[in-house]
Amino acid sequence: MTSFMDAINPVTRIGAVLLLATPLLVSVDVVSAAVALTASILLAPLAGMPWLQLIRRSWPILAAAPISGLSMALYGRPEGTEYASFLFAHITDNSLQLALAIMVRVLAIGLPVVVLTARVDPTDFGDGLAQVLRLPARFVIGAVAGVRLLGLFRRDWASLGRARRARGVADTSRIRHAATMSFGLGDTGRLRRWTTMAFALLVLAIRRGTKLATAMEARGFGAPGLRTWGRASTVGWRDAVVLMIAAFISTAAIAVAVYAGTFRFLGA
């Protein structure tokens, strides 16, 4: 299923994220963050991200927001009525307001990132960085190749686990029995297994990266001079519309906060 965002250059998406996030970083108030968050949620389906899919993709952000709010509620600057205190922790009116503002702000900054960066192809992103932003081609191509290899880590990890079981190195029944006899012994077995597999994965990644670098050098990826590109990366009116919408949302959020009298500079 295609959407309006599928025709948007990946560089434009990153620019829209910066336009949305940067103004929100200068203020700590609930109103501006709530306005930006509401706009992001309402526009998500138009960007090809249904609300249910947005919730599934945003679970790390949804989990991090309460944690950030809790730390601010306990250790924020104490002002106003104090409700509870313990050592360095003080729960006051100001700390609770800051906690709510931080939680909403984490969502207001994180959810647009999920919406705008969904289904971004690394190759298209690399083409945009090199052709639109004019970044060094050697750096861009190397970064794209590295991102492409990240997808192999999970498959390599599963292959290493199967190979260990085939050789009898990791006897899961023995580890499970040891865990029932002694919690520490079972935990140590799992930790040792994870450490050895992580080291093997590191060695495999270094070898693969070395081979890939040699192959890319042999094909002329590191040659000096002007490069040609197989696919052109361009920006058009759709990209301008996305940037204008992002700028309008962030500007409107700050304007509404100023009008409501809740605008508060970060650190003030």
Side-chain angles (χ1 to χ4, degrees):
M1 180 179 179
T2 59
S3 65
F4 178 82
M5 293 300 298
D6 292 334
I8 303 302
N9 195 294
V11 174
T12 303
R13 300 189 184 199
I14 302 302
V17 170
L18 294 178
L19 286 176
L20 284 170
T22 303
L24 296 178
L25 295 177
V26 303
S27 171
V28 183
D29 68 275
V30 179
V31 175
S32 61
V35 172
L37 177 60
T38 302
S40 300
I41 294 175
L42 293 178
L43 293 176
L46 299 179
M49 179 73 67
W51 289 326
L52 184 59
Q53 184 180 2
L54 177 62
I55 294 175
R56 288 199 302 263
R57 288 177 174 265
S58 305
W59 69 264
I61 301 173
L62 297 176
I67 297 175
S68 61
L70 178 62
S71 62
M72 186 60 64
L74 294 177
Y75 303 107
R77 185 169 60 187
E79 288 182 5
T81 305
E82 183 176 294
Y83 300 100
S85 63
F86 178 75
L87 296 178
F88 298 103
H90 298 274
I91 302 178
T92 62
D93 289 332
N94 184 66
S95 65
L96 292 177
Q97 293 175 5
L98 290 176
L100 179 60
I102 290 298
M103 285 192 296
V104 179
R105 192 160 304 276
V106 168
L107 297 176
I109 294 176
L111 295 188
V113 175
V114 175
V115 174
L116 293 173
T117 58
R119 298 196 301 270
V120 173
D121 183 73
T123 303
D124 293 337
F125 185 50
D127 290 336
L129 292 177
Q131 299 179 49
V132 177
L133 296 184
R134 305 295 181 182
L135 295 182
R138 183 165 184 165
F139 165 77
V140 171
I141 294 174
V144 171
V147 172
R148 285 292 189 186
L149 292 179
L150 288 177
L152 300 177
F153 280 172
R154 176 177 295 182
R155 189 174 66 182
D156 292 338
W157 184 269
S159 299
L160 287 171
R162 289 194 296 267
R164 288 172 60 88
R165 286 193 295 270
R167 294 195 301 267
V169 176
D171 188 349
T172 56
S173 62
R174 186 171 63 249
I175 294 177
R176 194 158 45 241
H177 175 71
T180 58
M181 298 298 295
S182 171
F183 178 79
L185 180 59
D187 203 43
T188 302
R190 293 188 182 94
L191 180 60
R192 184 181 304 161
R193 176 174 177 269
W194 186 91
T195 303
T196 55
M197 288 183 61
F199 181 75
L201 185 64
L202 175 62
V203 173
L204 183 61
I206 293 175
R207 290 178 178 175
R208 179 181 290 141
T210 303
K211 292 180 180 179
L212 178 62
T214 304
M216 292 176 67
E217 289 287 347
R219 288 171 172 81
F221 282 98
L226 183 64
R227 280 195 59 85
T228 57
W229 302 93
R231 296 182 300 181
S233 180
T234 58
V235 294
W237 65 270
R238 290 184 177 88
D239 300 89
V241 169
V242 171
L243 293 178
M244 287 189 295
I245 292 176
F248 174 78
I249 292 175
S250 58
T251 303
I254 298 298
V256 171
V258 173
Y259 178 78
T262 61
F263 183 81
R264 179 176 180 179
F265 274 110
L266 183 65

